[in-house]
Amino acid sequence: MKVILIEDVKALGKKGDTVNVSDGYARNMLFPKKLALEANAKNINDLKLKKAHEEKVAKEQLAQAQSFAEQLAQAQVKVSVKVGEGGKVFGSVSSKEIAEAAKAQLGYEIDKKKILMTAPIKMVGTTSVSIKLHPKVTAELKVVVEGL
């Protein structure tokens, strides 16, 4: 019997795959646990439509992330911190502070977990910070650290 997997099933396949299994396994294991659907014409057509919709949504999200990355590349954020001798910052500038400054100054809602910092910012000046917007898109944001 041919079935369409609704969930990932170990040793059978991934979600959305069409596989051939025995009738008893399908009726007694896969269908009651809602792991698969019978591969009739209606279910196959529904699967195709669902995949097409998911691809369309993924393309739209990628396009939005790319346009947002271009906007971020043109923008810069200013963060003011206490400074000691020689322009050395007391503590460091965190991703939380950068996210709050971006929201206040630019109006962009950026998740602090998506801000990728190789090292903490401990000096006054301009630094470029990477922001992961999409699995395929990473943007650069200029952060200007000013002393008080």
Side-chain angles (χ1 to χ4, degrees):
M1 171 184 278
K2 283 197 172 248
V3 295
I4 300 169
L5 298 177
I6 299 173
E7 300 288 329
D8 291 350
V9 179
K10 194 172 186 178
L12 266 187
K14 300 273 185 196
K15 177 180 179 178
D17 289 350
T18 303
V19 293
N20 207 4
V21 296
S22 66
D23 293 350
Y25 185 63
R27 280 195 305 269
N28 297 323
M29 173 71 176
L30 298 176
F31 295 159
K33 291 187 177 183
K34 301 204 184 322
L35 297 174
L37 293 171
E38 186 177 355
N40 56 25
K42 178 191 178 297
N43 290 339
I44 290 173
N45 191 33
D46 288 347
L47 177 68
K48 287 179 184 175
L49 291 173
K50 187 176 181 181
K51 281 186 179 180
H53 177 70
E54 287 173 355
E55 287 177 12
K56 180 182 173 191
V57 169
K59 284 181 183 178
E60 288 174 359
Q61 289 176 343
L62 179 63
Q64 287 176 346
Q66 288 172 337
S67 67
F68 188 53
E70 291 172 7
Q71 291 175 1
L72 282 178
Q74 305 300 321
Q76 72 178 20
V77 173
K78 293 182 182 177
V79 179
S80 297
V81 292
K82 287 187 178 180
V83 179
E85 293 180 24
K88 189 165 169 115
V89 174
F90 290 127
S92 64
V93 178
S94 67
S95 58
K96 180 181 177 184
E97 292 171 319
I98 295 170
E100 289 172 355
K103 184 175 181 183
Q105 296 171 17
L106 305 174
Y108 295 149
E109 193 75 37
I110 299 174
D111 186 8
K112 68 179 182 179
K113 295 174 188 165
K114 306 255 181 193
I115 297 175
L116 309 173
M117 296 174 59
T118 54
I121 301 172
K122 295 187 175 194
M123 295 296 287
V124 173
T126 304
T127 307
S128 186
V129 175
S130 298
I131 301 172
K132 187 100 172 161
L133 300 173
H134 188 271
K136 297 179 181 178
V137 180
T138 303
E140 294 290 323
L141 178 65
K142 290 181 187 145
V143 178
V144 178
V145 180
E146 298 175 334
L148 290 177

